[in-house]
Amino acid sequence: MLSYLKQICYAKTDSTALQIFRYLFVGGISFVVDYAILFFLKEYCAVNYLLAAGLAFCGGVVANFIFTKILVFKVTLQNKMRERLIFFLICFAGLFYTEIIMYTLTDLWGIHYLLSKIVATVIVFFWNFFAKKLILYRTQKASV
């Protein structure tokens, strides 16, 4: 039983289904960090919700980077600087999508910013996962 759990949760895999399962967990951790920072900045520091969302997104990206490398893709590219650059470019494209979605839902449609953030997170989750899998970690030159 323990080895089965280790296989599901930690062993290296190329299974997209298992990687998505793990990325849901990683995304959950990142979302909690992101959402908590957003709420704190908006409600307790009176920061504009779009600025707060951008700052909070950065906190979530750091958590995402750490846990994605440990739990999801488990590869280290030869060029670590290139890996980090592409990782963060993918994430910041996600930030752009998040800001557009939140602005549209909150300012144009009148939906509460926290609900807008949830909708944006669900959409951007798929962008982040598939961009990382297909663009960043697609190469066979990666080593464990």
Side-chain angles (χ1 to χ4, degrees), residues 23-91:
Y23 199 72
L24 278 168
F25 177 73
V26 168
I29 293 169
S30 303
F31 177 76
V32 168
V33 170
D34 186 337
Y35 205 73
I37 294 170
L38 170 63
F39 180 79
F40 177 78
L41 291 174
K42 172 72 172 94
E43 298 300 323
Y44 294 103
C45 300
V47 175
N48 173 278
Y49 79 94
L50 289 174
L51 177 58
L55 295 171
F57 192 91
C58 293
V61 164
V62 171
N64 191 276
F65 180 75
I66 292 166
F67 290 110
T68 294
K69 300 261 313 152
I70 293 170
L71 297 174
V72 182
F73 295 113
K74 297 188 170 295
V75 294
T76 300
L77 301 180
Q78 297 300 323
N79 186 335
K80 292 182 188 320
M81 188 57 115
R82 180 179 179 273
E83 176 185 14
R84 290 180 184 125
L85 176 65
I86 293 171
F87 187 96
F88 288 107
L89 286 174
I90 290 168
C91 288

Side-chain angles (χ1 to χ4, degrees), residues 75-123:
V75 294
T76 300
L77 301 180
Q78 297 300 323
N79 186 335
K80 292 182 188 320
M81 188 57 115
R82 180 179 179 273
E83 176 185 14
R84 290 180 184 125
L85 176 65
I86 293 171
F87 187 96
F88 288 107
L89 286 174
I90 290 168
C91 288
F92 286 108
L95 172 59
F96 174 75
Y97 301 143
T98 297
E99 293 285 322
I100 295 296
I101 293 165
M102 287 187 68
Y103 173 78
T104 301
L105 295 178
T106 301
D107 280 1
L108 302 181
W109 294 4
I111 296 173
H112 192 272
Y113 78 97
L114 291 175
L115 184 56
S116 297
K117 176 63 176 174
I118 292 170
V119 171
T121 298
V122 170
I123 294 167

